[in-house]
């Protein structure tokens, strides 16, 4: 519900919303370039909104069986899915798996390609959130001490 102060004020719009208003769909095509990826390692998993969750979960489990860690990367709307994947791995590990989370901002580039030659092609950049989650095996916290240990006397 708007207060008296909010009425008549316009809220700031995002650059992507402004860009959509500028695009005449009959004259331009919007092409979104793929984001830059980190170097692909055997223990990297990139998650998208269209990713099969069960398939990614099984892939992560196989990597954790062979390696000590797996890195899960998500961008924009896939951040929630990447987080859920890491949390599912952590809960199914029953204390043997932990996570470390790093967030960042990624610059994405969009191309505005004209259908007709009387317009110039344009390039726009925008920022998007990203998440990088390290899921790793932890050592058991139980320490077995011998009876000869002087620190327990």
């Amino acid at each position: 519900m708007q207060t008296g102060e909010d009425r008549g004020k316009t809220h700031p719009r995002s650059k992507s919303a402004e860009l959509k208003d500028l695009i005449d769909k009959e004259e331009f095509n919007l092409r979104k370039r793929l984001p830059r990826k980190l170097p692909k390692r055997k223990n990297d998993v990139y998650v998208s909104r269209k990713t099969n969750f069960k398939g990614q979960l099984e892939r992560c489990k196989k990597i954790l069986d062979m390696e000590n860690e797996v890195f899960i990367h998500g961008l924009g709307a896939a951040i929630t899915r990447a987080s859920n994947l890491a949390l599912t791995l952590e809960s199914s590990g029953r204390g043997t798996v932990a996570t470390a989370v790093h967030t960042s901002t990624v610059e994405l580039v969009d191309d505005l390609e004209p259908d007709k030659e009387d317009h110039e092609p344009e390039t726009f950049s925008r920022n998007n959130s990203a998440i990088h989650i390290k899921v790793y095996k932890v050592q058991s916290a139980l320490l077995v001490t011998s009876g000869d240990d002087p620190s327990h006397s």
Side-chain angles (χ1 to χ4, degrees), residues 139-146 149 152:
Q139 302 296 333
S140 176
L142 299 175
L143 298 174
V144 178
T145 58
S146 66
D149 189 357
H152 292 293

Side-chain angles (χ1 to χ4, degrees), residues 34-68:
L34 291 174
R36 290 187 195 167
K37 288 188 177 182
L38 297 172
K40 181 75 171 145
R41 299 169 291 196
K42 61 183 175 182
N43 56 346
D44 280 328
V45 176
Y46 290 91
V47 178
S48 72
R49 289 183 306 156
K50 298 177 183 177
T51 302
N52 179 339
F53 188 82
K54 284 186 179 181
Q56 291 294 329
L57 183 61
E58 291 303 316
R59 182 171 174 221
C60 289
K61 285 180 179 179
K62 284 181 184 177
I63 292 172
L64 277 175
D65 287 343
M66 296 184 295
E67 303 285 328
N68 287 329

Side-chain angles (χ1 to χ4, degrees), residues 27-139:
E27 295 180 12
F28 291 96
N29 289 321
L30 178 64
R31 302 267 185 230
K32 293 183 178 184
R33 293 185 194 174
L34 291 174
R36 290 187 195 167
K37 288 188 177 182
L38 297 172
K40 181 75 171 145
R41 299 169 291 196
K42 61 183 175 182
N43 56 346
D44 280 328
V45 176
Y46 290 91
V47 178
S48 72
R49 289 183 306 156
K50 298 177 183 177
T51 302
N52 179 339
F53 188 82
K54 284 186 179 181
Q56 291 294 329
L57 183 61
E58 291 303 316
R59 182 171 174 221
C60 289
K61 285 180 179 179
K62 284 181 184 177
I63 292 172
L64 277 175
D65 287 343
M66 296 184 295
E67 303 285 328
N68 287 329
E69 60 192 14
V70 61
F71 295 91
I72 301 170
H73 307 278
L75 180 67
I79 289 175
T80 305
R81 185 172 282 242
S83 300
N84 286 337
L85 183 60
L87 290 171
T88 302
L89 285 169
E90 187 176 27
S91 66
S92 68
R94 295 189 179 120
T96 62
V97 176
T99 58
V101 179
H102 175 74
T103 58
S104 66
T105 302
V106 177
E107 185 177 7
L108 301 175
V109 179
D110 298 333
D111 295 315
L112 205 54
E113 299 173 346
D115 286 340
K116 300 175 184 172
E117 292 185 20
D118 56 338
H119 291 38
E120 290 292 319
E122 294 186 47
T123 303
F124 294 95
S125 64
R126 58 188 169 92
N127 292 325
N128 206 346
S129 300
I131 192 166
H132 315 280
I133 307 169
K134 175 182 174 182
V135 181
Y136 58 96
K137 295 178 185 175
V138 293
Q139 302 296 333

